[in-house]
Amino acid sequence: MKGLRFIIAGVIFGIIMTKSEAVSWYRIQEMFRFQSFHMYGIICTAVVLGALAVYLIKKFHVKDSLDNPIVFTDKEKTRANYIIGGLIFGLGWALTGACPGPMFVNIGYGYVSFIIVVIGALAGTFLYGLFRRKLPH
Amino acid sequence: MLDLLKQPWPWYISGAAIAAIMVLLLYFGKSFGFSSNLRTICSMVGTGKKVSFFDFDWRAQKWNLLFLVGSVLGGLIAATLLKNDAPLKLASATVADLKAIGVKFDGQLNPAQLFGAHSLSFKNIVILLSGGLLVGFGSRYAGGCTSGHAISGLSNLQFPSLLAVIGFFAGGLIMTHFLLPLILSI
């Protein structure tokens, strides 16, 4: 099954998110109160190593598993949507302690009430799609 | 080995592992971004007939849905095979701050008071639903979430991703310091 590798990658991601405690509402509160380096350490390590990896992939024209060149697409050069959308995301992130990935990881962990958070997130995504043309980007 | 994996992982191991997942997905010819799954699910259930934003070939995103299924399984494995019974080592200042706004620290990943299956009061349901709504709306409006912008975007030195991440933090600070105490006191 060709899709199995994505399931395995997801399993590893879920384990990382849990064992790093990045799925914890408490840890997110601790981060937004600047009372521990833990979450900042995780994000900074990931970004620094990620940037190094992206740099090396570009420099050495690394190919993917199907021998196609790995391409990076630039984000659209708009401004308003990143700031306003980001702000709205942040409000929800601190309230539920979860970004989209950890919501699902938490359900697997046994916090079934995160199903309600996911339903909210799907509704929010749908509302964005519905009102997209009326919003500043 | 299993005992080592069961411990909470230090931040540098966790951060490196997240970067490795991003690279692994790049090697598979994909890009790491979780919130697009929410759009894919909206499209899957047929909203594309009414709203053009959801009118795309969601089957091309099947790999990401499989990644999502894997992440649920990963959470399950972490809760069973890799379970660690020691209480979370939360900063004592956070424990005190949360106590002051009425949230008891119970040593688990999430406060049972807000997320426990037995504490699904009307108020908690409204909190969970509206929190999810803000995350879903905001991540699509910003064109990505923490994985897409903070990890993939910043690693590719994208200025728009930096704007989004600044937005994430500004929103988080407003919620934590101004709105959450109000919401919890209702």
Side-chain angles (χ1 to χ4, degrees):
Chain A
M1 183 185 164
K2 265 173 72 184
L4 189 64
R5 56 189 177 155
F6 295 113
I7 298 180
I8 293 168
V11 167
I12 300 169
F13 172 74
I15 293 173
I16 298 167
M17 286 288 120
T18 316
K19 297 318 291 182
S20 67
E21 296 167 345
V23 297
S24 165
W25 184 90
Y26 290 121
R27 285 284 186 206
I28 303 302
Q29 278 294 308
E30 189 187 52
M31 170 180 77
F32 283 130
R33 292 171 193 277
F34 304 101
Q35 288 162 337
S36 163
F37 182 68
H38 185 80
M39 287 301 302
Y40 295 103
I42 294 174
I43 298 169
C44 290
T45 310
V47 171
V48 170
L49 292 177
L52 183 69
V54 171
Y55 170 78
L56 293 173
I57 288 170
K58 286 179 174 173
K59 188 175 164 70
F60 294 104
H61 306 286
V62 178
K63 302 271 177 66
D64 68 16
S65 57
L66 293 172
D67 216 28
N68 294 316
I70 295 177
V71 280
F72 296 93
T73 40
D74 286 344
K75 307 274 181 196
E76 304 250 353
K77 294 273 179 273
T78 52
R79 295 230 162 147
N81 65 316
Y82 297 114
I83 298 166
I84 308 169
L87 202 76
I88 296 170
F89 174 92
L91 293 170
W93 186 17
L95 186 57
T96 62
C99 355
M103 280 176 197
F104 289 92
V105 178
N106 266 311
I107 294 173
Y109 194 82
Y111 285 103
V112 283
S113 47
F114 272 91
I115 292 172
I116 302 171
V117 183
V118 168
I119 293 169
L122 289 169
T125 305
F126 178 74
L127 286 176
Y128 169 74
L130 199 61
F131 295 115
R132 188 169 63 109
R133 289 176 205 283
K134 298 194 173 86
L135 298 166
H137 278 81
Chain B
M1 179 67 183
L2 200 61
D3 276 343
L4 196 66
L5 286 176
K6 278 186 184 179
Q7 305 298 316
W9 299 0
W11 55 264
Y12 45 91
I13 300 285
S14 309
I18 293 170
I21 283 287
M22 183 192 80
V23 172
L24 185 67
L25 289 179
L26 286 172
Y27 178 68
F28 290 161
K30 310 295 179 191
S31 73
F32 181 39
F34 204 100
S35 65
S36 47
N37 280 316
L38 298 168
R39 184 186 179 204
T40 308
I41 296 169
C42 285
S43 173
M44 254 173 86
V45 297
T47 54
K49 290 191 193 97
K50 291 210 167 69
V51 183
S52 64
F53 183 66
F54 301 109
D55 186 16
F56 66 98
D57 179 23
W58 61 265
R59 282 171 189 82
Q61 289 292 313
K62 225 172 75 181
W63 70 270
N64 212 346
L65 292 174
L66 293 174
F67 185 80
L68 181 154
V69 170
S71 73
V72 176
L73 293 174
L76 180 67
I77 291 169
T80 50
L81 287 175
L82 302 175
K83 180 104 165 84
N84 172 32
D85 291 320
L88 190 89
K89 288 192 181 70
L90 193 69
S92 53
T94 311
V95 175
D97 278 4
L98 291 176
K99 194 180 171 196
I101 59 168
V103 180
K104 190 178 167 290
F105 175 59
D106 54 20
Q108 301 296 308
L109 285 176
N110 298 299
Q113 201 180 325
L114 282 172
F115 298 96
H118 300 292
S119 43
L120 279 182
S121 59
F122 178 71
K123 183 185 159 183
N124 278 359
I125 292 174
V126 172
I127 289 178
L128 298 179
L129 207 55
S130 49
L133 194 101
L134 292 165
V135 170
F137 187 92
S139 59
R140 211 65 273 126
Y141 193 1
C145 59
T146 17
S147 49
H149 278 309
I151 309 296
S152 294
L154 290 185
S155 290
N156 190 25
L157 312 178
Q158 293 293 299
F159 180 67
S161 291
L162 183 63
L163 288 180
V165 172
I166 291 169
F168 296 166
F169 269 86
L173 292 174
I174 294 169
M175 176 55 72
T176 299
H177 297 276
F178 300 106
L179 303 177
L180 192 65
L182 291 175
I183 294 169
L184 292 174
S185 70
I186 296 171

